Amino acid sequence: MSDPMVVVDAGTGNLRSVVGALTKIGASVRLTRDPEDVLRAERIILPGVGAFGEFMQGLTRNHLDEALKNFIQSGRPLLGICVGMQALMEISEELGSYQGLSLFKGPVRKFPSMPAYKVPHTGWNQVWIRRDSPLTRGLTSGFYAYFNHSYYCQPHQNEFVLATTDYTLDFCSMIGQGVLFGVQFHPEKSQAVGEILLNNFVNL
């Protein structure tokens, strides 16, 4: 029997806020490290915190990387959050060089050092919608969301950039192709905006 919503635990952080936000909007949620749960899910959220390499090692150790690729190939919806979005890319330069899931072409890079900006990029910032998406239904371009990251995704294909945010540079803060999505900000910490976005994902 399938689970309507599975939150994948790579073992690198506290995911209670993500589960809590989904429960608040009425979603039935299973938190798991079991690849069989991934393969049976109707839709998946892949949240990530901490270092990219440690996150990918957690996925690989539990055989979740291949399960996630198989899930996505089946055409079911997936949403990556923060490092979970970065994991959808090919490679990250965080603390070395680590392979991602390679579902989008392009690297994950560190913000450039600039005197007027602190890294990590932490706090509320605006998200500018660049392409229509079911994930942003009901949201107005320029909405504020909560960020906490030192690295950003640099997709090679602009047609997959759904939204951008300005911090030292104009970076991709939402990515999407079909029903595969990633957001660099934390919807579970973005109050009403986050609830709208998560509701959109649940109702895809």
Side-chain angles (χ1 to χ4, degrees):
M1 185 176 178
S2 66
D3 289 300
M5 176 73 70
V6 165
V7 175
V8 175
D9 180 6
T12 60
N14 185 349
L15 305 181
R16 281 185 297 179
S17 58
V18 175
V19 172
L22 289 165
T23 303
K24 184 179 178 182
I25 63 171
S28 175
V29 184
R30 178 190 291 269
L31 180 63
T32 189
R33 297 184 187 181
D34 186 344
E36 292 301 320
D37 288 338
V38 168
L39 295 173
R40 287 193 297 263
E42 291 181 14
R43 65 196 68 232
I44 282 176
I45 289 185
L46 178 63
V49 295
F52 183 98
E54 185 181 351
F55 180 80
M56 289 304 303
Q57 287 167 8
L59 293 182
T60 303
R61 183 169 54 248
N62 292 306
H63 307 289
L64 291 163
D65 51 343
E66 290 305 318
L68 287 166
K69 289 178 183 179
N70 289 336
F71 173 89
I72 289 159
Q73 288 171 0
S74 74
R76 287 169 285 175
L78 181 143
L79 172 63
I81 296 175
C82 197
V83 179
M85 171 181 168
Q86 296 174 7
L88 306 179
M89 306 301 291
E90 290 180 298
I91 194 164
S92 173
E93 63 180 29
E94 184 176 1
L95 303 176
S97 181
Y98 293 94
Q99 293 293 320
L101 295 171
S102 297
L103 300 168
F104 292 101
K105 293 185 181 299
V108 179
R109 301 201 183 281
K110 189 170 186 177
F111 282 117
S113 179
M114 296 180 70
Y117 296 88
K118 292 182 179 179
V119 177
H121 169 216
T122 302
W124 296 86
N125 203 344
Q126 287 181 280
V127 178
W128 300 97
I129 298 171
R130 303 303 181 193
R131 282 173 178 77
D132 289 336
S133 163
L135 208 59
T136 53
R137 190 176 294 120
L139 295 174
T140 302
S141 188
F143 68 85
Y144 281 86
Y146 187 85
F147 291 83
N148 185 17
H149 63 121
S150 299
Y151 294 77
Y152 65 95
C153 298
Q154 193 176 62
H156 287 167
Q157 294 157 288
N158 285 333
E159 64 265 31
F160 300 143
V161 176
L162 300 182
T164 59
T165 295
D166 181 22
Y167 196 79
T168 76
L169 43 72
D170 206 32
F171 70 90
C172 173
S173 51
M174 294 183 66
I175 197 168
Q177 181 185 20
V179 290
L180 172 62
F181 301 101
V183 295
Q184 184 59 68
F185 53 88
H186 289 271
E188 76 280 8
K189 297 180 181 178
S190 297
Q191 300 175 5
V193 158
E195 288 187 15
I196 291 170
L197 187 144
L198 290 174
N199 254 314
N200 287 341
F201 181 72
V202 168
N203 292 309
L204 279 175

